[in-house]
Amino acid sequence: RILNPYPFFFYNDYSQEPDGDPLTPLTPMARVPNFPAKMHAILTREDLSDVIAWMLHGRSWRILKPREFEIRVLPAYFDHS
């Protein structure tokens, strides 16, 4: 490999690869889902795609409508007092 100058990174982009076993739950039964599992559940919901979505490169996500996220997503997925 040739080391290119900053900001060049080596990474594998898995964002477009299909899930090998889509029926396997991300969190075992009777356990509270962790943050990545909750975010996966949120980001795969079509009805929330106008509120939160993956960035085009597939390595991060962005909240598109913060107020809608606060009203529709936070109470449903996260316990906040």
Side-chain angles (χ1 to χ4, degrees):
R1 288 186 181 175
I2 297 172
L3 184 59
N4 294 318
Y6 175 85
F8 187 82
F9 302 99
F10 291 105
Y11 71 94
N12 294 320
D13 183 6
Y14 296 104
S15 65
Q16 300 301 317
E17 291 193 17
D19 185 356
D21 190 4
L23 298 178
T24 300
L26 294 175
T27 304
M29 298 301 277
R31 293 199 56 201
V32 176
N34 58 21
F35 181 76
K38 289 179 182 183
M39 289 309 301
H40 181 267
I42 293 166
L43 288 160
T44 55
R45 286 186 49 182
E46 291 290 325
D47 62 318
L48 295 175
S49 63
D50 64 320
V51 177
I52 185 170
W54 285 106
M55 298 294 287
L56 292 177
H57 51 66
R59 291 174 286 164
S60 62
W61 42 266
R62 181 176 181 193
I63 298 173
L64 305 171
K65 297 179 181 175
R67 183 68 180 144
E68 284 291 312
F69 184 82
E70 184 181 341
I71 294 169
R72 294 171 54 193
V73 178
L74 289 181
Y77 287 91
F78 302 98
D79 292 331
H80 284 120
S81 357

